[in-house]
Amino acid sequence: MMNDAAQLMRLDKWLWAARFYKTRSLAREMIEGGKVHYNGQRTKPSKIVEIGAELKLRQGSDEKTITVLALSQQRRSANEAQMLYRENEASIVKREQIAQARKLGALTMPHPDRRPDKKERRNLIKFKYGE
């Protein structure tokens, strides 16, 4: 019975220990904001994590689908944290495709080397608004 109690772990604490979020409070905010789904459903930060559960995480523009492999009560190194979960193959492929599209999109809209000065800003405003 005592061993079972030692293995119970909250979702926000597991996400923190697995190094998906820097703090538990940030993990809690992401769960409450609907950025984390547990077995396909929105959940609460106090949800007890089970081995084999599927989590869908959204971090910025990336979305990961992972399977829980182990539980850890402590936050350890990144190498040890990666042993706690496995990302699905379809998720990896989709994330790489989105990253590639984002990179290609950045190449089509290059940024200028410097900010426009006052005269150039006036000319831009005239061009944009037709004054």
Side-chain angles (χ1 to χ4, degrees):
M1 198 80 162
M2 184 68 171
N3 193 18
D4 292 341
Q7 290 297 335
L8 295 179
M9 185 167 207
R10 292 170 53 106
L11 179 59
D12 59 347
K13 188 170 183 180
W14 186 86
L15 289 169
W16 167 77
R19 292 185 167 264
F20 285 105
Y21 300 106
K22 201 167 188 172
T23 63
R24 275 184 71 182
S25 61
L26 184 59
R28 188 185 75 243
E29 287 175 21
M30 293 297 125
I31 295 167
E32 290 171 349
K35 306 285 192 235
V36 178
H37 289 148
Y38 185 86
N39 288 335
Q41 296 181 344
R42 284 186 70 165
T43 186
K44 294 181 179 179
S46 60
K47 175 73 175 167
I48 301 300
V49 178
E50 299 169 345
I51 294 175
E54 185 178 274
L55 295 174
K56 190 173 283 189
L57 307 163
R58 192 169 320 130
Q59 294 176 309
S61 59
D62 290 339
E63 190 170 297
K64 298 178 184 178
T65 304
I66 61 166
T67 304
V68 177
L69 299 179
L71 303 176
S72 173
Q73 296 291 333
Q74 297 178 341
R75 186 176 170 105
R76 304 234 179 212
S77 70
N79 292 334
E80 290 180 41
Q82 289 177 346
M83 301 294 190
L84 300 178
Y85 64 91
R86 180 180 64 242
E87 188 173 359
N88 299 0
E89 293 297 324
S91 173
I92 294 171
V93 170
K94 186 177 178 183
R95 218 166 24 94
E96 288 174 351
Q97 287 174 346
I98 291 171
Q100 186 69 23
R102 197 169 40 236
K103 185 184 271 187
L104 290 174
L107 293 176
T108 60
M109 296 188 307
H111 294 287
D113 295 334
R114 61 178 179 76
R115 292 178 62 178
D117 60 20
K118 192 170 184 177
K119 184 177 181 182
E120 290 170 336
R121 272 197 307 276
R122 284 186 189 140
N123 290 337
L124 286 171
I125 290 169
K126 281 182 187 176
F127 177 75
K128 187 173 181 180
Y129 297 109
E131 291 179 6

